[in-house]
Amino acid sequence: MPVLAAALKARGLPAVQEDLSLALIRRLFSSTFLRRALSHLARGPARRTPAVRHFLKRGEAIIGLIDAVVGFLLGDQPELAYRIVTRTFLPEGPRFVPLDEQGLDESAAGPLVVHDRAKWLASLMLDDLADMIHDGLDERFAFSRYAEHLAVSLPMLAPLARALDEPPTLVTRELDALVDACLDRHAPALAAMTVPFPGCLPGALLIARRLRRRAPGLPIVLGGGYVNTELRELADPAIFDWVDFVCLDDGGEPLARIARHVCRGAPLRLLRTYRREAGQVVYQAGAARPSPRDAAAALHPDFKALDLAAYLPLVESINPLHRLWSDGRWLKVQLTHGCYWRRCRFCDTSVDYIARYTAPAAAAAAGHLAALRRETGRAAF
């Protein structure tokens, strides 16, 4: 999103960003939602898995602590770490069992590791709650993906469409409410969603469905890493029941062409874009030279519009290498375009975003990193 927003703004097209994945997670892991979840599970015939039974038994204690635990992970109340590592503060569920089975001695934690260990334990509490949501409220939910099995190597969309047409859950109702608030806040002329992984596609289509219902005439664009790898030979026109355009590879110029058409009435000259015409999937490759504005956007994404402090740093593993994926708030910056090697047999080296290797001047890259540090106050890249 930050790269696409920067690319649009460089072309004079105003763009706003909304991370609905983050917004949904922050809403689900809140006392307000968990109160509704506890009431729902107490009434309903949900599967009584260990995670659900733990929540029904300790729900009041969990609801009373969840906002403080999330705040601790966000950096508030760091002194709470000393209470968390006692192993008597958090309502521990099934995710904590391996700690005791493996004989981990929490009491031996010295002052230099107390905070890290507390973040790990707090993350395990959220994992317990994610298991409860999956088992008792929406079996398609997982912490970083949604209904991923329906989108992996997907030749036809009918199974996914049937799944998304099932009755709403507490989770999908929350997502609908977030989409409604987003529409009310921005009243956009065009909506675009980036789908990096298979587990992001079903959620993106749920968002698109809500956009269709609330704003029937709003054009919707789909792109991202999943689209670039799994939908390169798109043949099923059903995807266009949800969206109007599917863009491949670097999205700056393809998205800008659609935006200029929608917002300014410019002729529609599509680039690397699928659409549906007369019920059939049509691909328009177009022609374009690499844009210096897109290269600048990759070096200088627009992070200013995002509330970076709202992202949850989680410790999913005590392995230091694994922690890099989720602990801390990293600014992602694309220093080069494509791959200089281009010989790996498993890789699709013919596509533009891999085959066309370009690298910026070192001084320019360093200048952009320094500017991003000034803009965001963060120096983790």
Side-chain angles (χ1 to χ4, degrees):
M1 286 195 306
V3 172
L4 291 172
L8 291 175
K9 290 180 178 179
R11 293 167 168 84
L13 295 161
V16 294
Q17 304 176 61
E18 290 278 356
D19 190 339
L20 295 184
S21 298
L22 172 66
L24 180 62
I25 286 295
R26 291 296 303 274
R27 186 168 285 200
L28 297 182
F29 293 98
S30 70
S31 57
T32 302
F33 176 81
L34 293 181
R35 173 69 63 190
R36 289 201 297 273
L38 184 60
S39 175
H40 177 84
L41 291 173
R43 299 192 310 266
R47 289 187 298 153
R48 291 302 194 259
T49 63
V52 173
R53 290 197 300 271
H54 168 68
F55 184 66
L56 287 170
K57 181 180 178 181
R58 303 295 306 278
E60 290 297 339
I62 293 169
I63 291 168
L65 285 175
I66 184 62
D67 294 333
V69 170
V70 169
F72 167 74
L73 288 169
L74 291 170
D76 300 334
Q77 303 184 63
E79 64 278 3
L80 203 59
Y82 293 93
R83 300 183 67 185
I84 292 174
V85 297
T86 64
R87 298 286 305 280
T88 62
F89 181 70
L90 299 179
E92 297 186 358
R95 289 285 188 146
F96 289 80
V97 172
L99 274 64
D100 299 317
E101 292 177 345
Q102 295 167 14
L104 297 177
D105 185 6
E106 305 292 341
S107 63
L112 295 180
V113 297
V114 164
H115 193 267
D116 285 350
R117 192 172 293 274
K119 289 177 69 175
W120 180 37
L121 295 172
S123 300
L124 288 177
M125 177 178 166
L126 298 193
D127 285 334
D128 270 332
L129 291 174
D131 292 342
M132 176 275 295
I133 294 171
H134 172 273
D135 296 346
L137 304 179
D138 190 333
E139 65 181 8
R140 299 170 296 193
F141 175 81
F143 217 135
S144 58
R145 59 190 65 88
Y146 187 83
E148 182 177 49
H149 67 286
L150 294 172
V152 175
S153 300
L154 191 68
M156 301 298 288
L157 284 149
L160 179 55
R162 287 194 296 269
L164 298 184
D165 281 338
E166 292 177 0
T169 67
L170 288 187
V171 174
T172 60
R173 288 194 185 102
E174 292 293 333
L175 184 59
D176 284 347
L178 289 168
V179 175
D180 291 348
C182 184
L183 280 173
D184 293 340
R185 191 159 49 246
H186 301 301
L190 175 70
M193 293 177 292
T194 180
V195 180
F197 305 112
C200 303
L201 177 65
L205 296 184
L206 286 172
I207 292 170
R209 183 178 68 181
R210 188 64 177 181
L211 290 171
R212 281 269 194 266
R213 292 175 179 174
R214 279 289 315 275
L218 179 68
I220 303 173
V221 187
L222 196 69
Y226 172 83
V227 173
N228 294 339
T229 55
E230 299 295 328
L231 300 184
R232 295 201 73 85
E233 298 180 1
L234 181 62
D236 186 355
I239 189 75
F240 297 103
D241 293 341
W242 289 287
V243 303
D244 299 285
F245 304 95
V246 176
C247 297
L248 297 182
D249 301 335
D250 294 337
E253 180 60 21
L255 185 56
R257 292 189 180 193
I258 297 170
R260 282 193 289 260
H261 170 72
V262 170
C263 302
R264 297 178 179 173
L268 183 59
R269 298 189 177 95
L270 296 176
L271 174 67
R272 298 192 301 273
T273 300
Y274 286 103
R275 66 182 303 190
R276 181 167 59 187
E277 296 179 5
Q280 301 297 314
V281 177
V282 175
Y283 179 66
Q284 297 189 22
R289 294 181 178 180
S291 170
R293 289 176 292 196
D294 291 337
L299 274 173
H300 200 128
D302 180 18
F303 291 109
K304 298 186 294 296
L306 295 176
D307 182 6
L308 298 177
Y311 285 82
L312 276 171
L314 300 175
V315 179
E316 298 176 315
S317 168
I318 56 176
N319 184 311
L321 181 61
H322 293 168
R323 285 186 58 180
L324 287 175
W325 292 104
S326 58
D327 188 15
R329 298 181 179 93
W330 301 88
L331 303 181
K332 278 76 170 181
V333 180
Q334 179 183 308
L335 292 182
T336 66
H337 183 286
C339 175
Y340 77 96
W341 179 244
R342 301 190 300 280
R343 296 177 187 175
C344 296
R345 294 298 182 92
F346 61 81
C347 187
D348 192 352
T349 56
S350 64
V351 300
D352 176 81
Y353 73 95
I354 296 171
R356 178 169 54 85
Y357 173 72
T358 56
H368 283 286
L369 296 181
L372 287 171
R373 180 174 181 173
R374 291 192 299 271
E375 291 172 7
T376 65
R378 302 185 183 277
F381 296 100

